Amino acid sequence: EDKVVQSPLSLVVHEGDTVTLNCSYEVTNFRSLLWYKQEKKAPTFLFMLTSSGIEKKSGRLSSILDNKELFSILNITATQTGDSAVYLCAVETGNQFYFGTGTSLTVIP
Amino acid sequence: KAGVTQTPRYLIKTRGQQVTLSCSPISGHRSVSWYQQTPGQGLQFLFEYFSETQRNKGNFPGRFSGRQFSNSRSEMNVSTLELGDSALYLCASSLGQATDTQYFGPGTRLTVL
């Protein structure tokens, strides 16, 4: 059965901390892995990863895929209160998307 | 460029009724996917339409159906509503290629009483 597992389920940090969110997957016919940020509305796209070992970076956020060990990490450095959200990982296979249950991040001032 | 729009934003129905939700994709996008989001199950894929054809389907019962029109707008229908159908229904659009980014609409919050 195809599945995507995210850890930790929730995280509370202080502003300025660095966090690492994990996403592991077991799917057939892997095509890509996507990260989304969801606040109190629809998810917004962060990264799409298709190639192993190539880091994608956007400001304080970065992500990398290891498609040998079947996981991805999302790093957020110098966290801010605006980073508080649920971070979703999704894996696209040949015919659909599988989402993890998300990691809830709370950044305390 | 306008984003993905969904109507209605909120809906209250009773068990046994049916409901139709609408999604207008970003201009130029030909793929529309539908998702159900609940606190217990998280985000689950319902189906994807591309050029008026259902291209992919998740593991939902036949009470959930959809269609796409020639202008890429899509509708999702749920018949014989059950309490467990209460959820946020999200649609996402993309250009349609396998590696294209999906952009989500704001969702329709359905409550079944």
Side-chain angles (χ1 to χ4, degrees):
Chain A
E1 184 186 335
D2 295 333
K3 63 180 179 181
V4 177
V5 178
Q6 291 186 246
S7 63
L9 289 181
S10 64
L11 199 51
V12 180
V13 300
H14 289 95
E15 266 192 320
D17 287 350
T18 293
V19 298
T20 299
L21 311 183
N22 301 287
C23 175
S24 64
Y25 59 92
E26 286 181 38
V27 301
T28 52
N29 198 17
F30 172 89
R31 287 239 180 126
S32 65
L33 185 146
L34 302 98
W35 284 97
Y36 292 89
K37 177 183 181 182
Q38 186 172 26
E39 297 167 272
K40 289 186 176 145
K41 51 189 183 202
T44 55
F45 172 79
L46 293 174
F47 298 111
M48 175 188 285
L49 303 154
T50 54
S51 301
S52 191
I54 298 175
E55 184 183 51
K56 291 224 174 170
K57 204 167 163 58
S58 176
R60 296 175 295 102
L61 277 66
S62 64
S63 183
I64 196 160
L65 173 71
D66 184 332
N67 63 11
K68 197 180 226 182
E69 299 298 327
L70 308 184
F71 75 92
S72 173
I73 58 172
L74 175 68
N75 277 320
I76 308 175
T77 59
T79 51
Q80 302 171 356
T81 55
D83 295 327
S84 295
V86 174
Y87 290 84
L88 294 166
C89 163
V91 173
E92 183 198 5
T93 65
N95 57 9
Q96 64 169 291
F97 289 83
Y98 294 90
F99 281 79
T101 51
T103 293
S104 176
L105 173 66
T106 303
V107 181
I108 300 171
Chain B
K1 200 185 247 190
V4 179
T5 58
Q6 291 186 246
T7 57
R9 294 294 311 280
Y10 301 92
L11 204 49
I12 299 175
K13 291 284 188 179
T14 56
R15 277 183 300 175
Q17 287 188 307
Q18 75 163 21
V19 66
T20 298
L21 312 181
S22 180
C23 172
S24 292
I26 291 171
S27 177
H29 284 190
R30 295 167 65 193
S31 168
V32 173
S33 296
W34 288 90
Y35 298 85
Q36 181 195 67
Q37 187 171 36
T38 59
Q41 298 292 322
L43 204 58
Q44 292 183 283
F45 173 76
L46 280 155
F47 29 65
E48 181 211 2
Y49 284 87
F50 179 80
S51 292
E52 302 178 65
T53 301
Q54 187 179 85
R55 187 159 69 171
N56 295 303
K57 190 176 188 310
N59 301 321
F60 277 80
R63 300 185 296 109
F64 292 82
S65 63
R67 57 178 176 168
Q68 187 179 34
F69 301 95
S70 58
N71 62 358
S72 293
R73 189 176 70 85
S74 177
E75 288 182 347
M76 189 192 91
N77 186 75
V78 188
S79 62
T80 320
L81 284 166
E82 300 176 1
L83 295 179
D85 297 333
S86 294
L88 179 68
Y89 289 89
L90 294 162
C91 89
S93 78
S94 74
L95 289 169
Q97 299 305 310
T99 53
D100 288 330
T101 302
Q102 287 191 321
Y103 296 89
F104 282 84
T108 294
R109 172 75 62 188
L110 172 64
T111 302
V112 181
L113 302 176

